[in-house]
Amino acid sequence: MNRLVWELRRAQWRLGLFGLLAVLLLGGAAVIALTEIVPLRNDIAGREADLNARAARLRQPPPPSPDEAVSPVSPEQRYFVFLHSLHAIAAKNGIVIPQITYQAAAQEKDDPSLKRYVIETTFSATYLQFRGFLRELRTLPGLRCERLTVSRPNIGVTQLEVRLQCAFLVEAAK
């Protein structure tokens, strides 16, 4: 024990005041690293792993549940009801849809009772109008948004240019 005390006093004499301050600063940095940086790095690694797992789940979109056309209504009639709902939701949110393309997609091979229709549209809207439109659009059964492109031609303009492609699945009653 005496030898250790003697070595510490000798180190203090050799290092001087600036050396002692440097040792204290290094010790403080080590304490900060152990109490702040290491737990923060572990937290970031955990969050990154969680985010990667969530991103992997999002790459494969869930299959849309088809809308069901009950007995007296055909799938085509159900599709026209959907189109009316789409335009009503757009009008409710103050969105004017100047251009829209409707087309029947190829018949499903594994389930011939399913009919798929593709809707492609472009329109302009503010961010709040677009958000409300998309929120209400997601409540329609059988609808799946496949592609969405949102752009702002100028940073000073609040209007968004939106290009939206949706698929509508309807199942004929059995």
Side-chain angles (χ1 to χ4, degrees):
M1 183 71 177
N2 287 338
R3 174 81 179 181
L4 178 66
V5 172
W6 182 79
E7 287 294 335
L8 286 175
R9 285 185 184 157
R10 184 173 166 228
Q12 181 181 5
W13 174 76
R14 287 186 146 212
L15 293 176
L17 182 61
F18 293 115
L20 183 62
L21 287 175
V23 168
L24 288 176
L25 283 175
L26 286 174
V31 167
I32 289 174
L34 290 176
T35 60
E36 296 291 329
I37 296 173
V38 172
L40 184 63
R41 186 174 29 174
N42 293 339
D43 182 50
I44 289 172
R47 288 177 189 230
E48 186 176 351
D50 180 49
L51 185 62
N52 289 338
R54 287 175 38 200
R57 281 189 303 232
L58 288 177
R59 293 192 191 193
Q60 294 297 327
S65 59
D67 191 11
E68 189 172 344
V70 290
S71 299
V73 179
S74 69
E76 287 81 15
Q77 289 171 329
R78 188 68 197 121
Y79 175 63
F80 289 125
V81 170
F82 158 74
L83 289 177
H84 177 72
S85 300
L86 175 80
H87 286 288
I89 289 172
K92 180 181 174 187
N93 287 291
I95 296 174
V96 177
I97 300 179
Q99 179 185 1
I100 191 163
T101 306
Y102 315 103
Q103 60 186 358
Q107 190 76 13
E108 295 287 329
K109 294 176 188 172
D110 50 334
D111 194 359
S113 65
L114 281 178
K115 290 199 106 178
R116 183 173 182 262
Y117 300 94
V118 177
I119 301 98
E120 200 168 326
T121 182
T122 57
F123 57 89
S124 295
T126 63
Y127 179 71
L128 290 176
Q129 288 173 331
F130 174 66
R131 212 170 123 186
F133 173 70
L134 210 56
R135 181 181 59 240
E136 290 183 36
L137 200 62
R138 283 191 268 164
T139 62
L140 293 177
L143 179 73
R144 176 180 177 177
C145 292
E146 292 181 339
R147 280 195 196 119
L148 175 66
T149 306
V150 179
S151 63
R152 240 170 51 181
N154 186 354
I155 195 71
V157 178
T158 60
Q159 287 290 98
L160 301 172
E161 296 296 324
V162 180
R163 182 178 177 93
L164 177 67
Q165 181 181 356
C166 298
F168 179 70
L169 282 163
V170 64
E171 182 177 20
K174 296 172 180 147

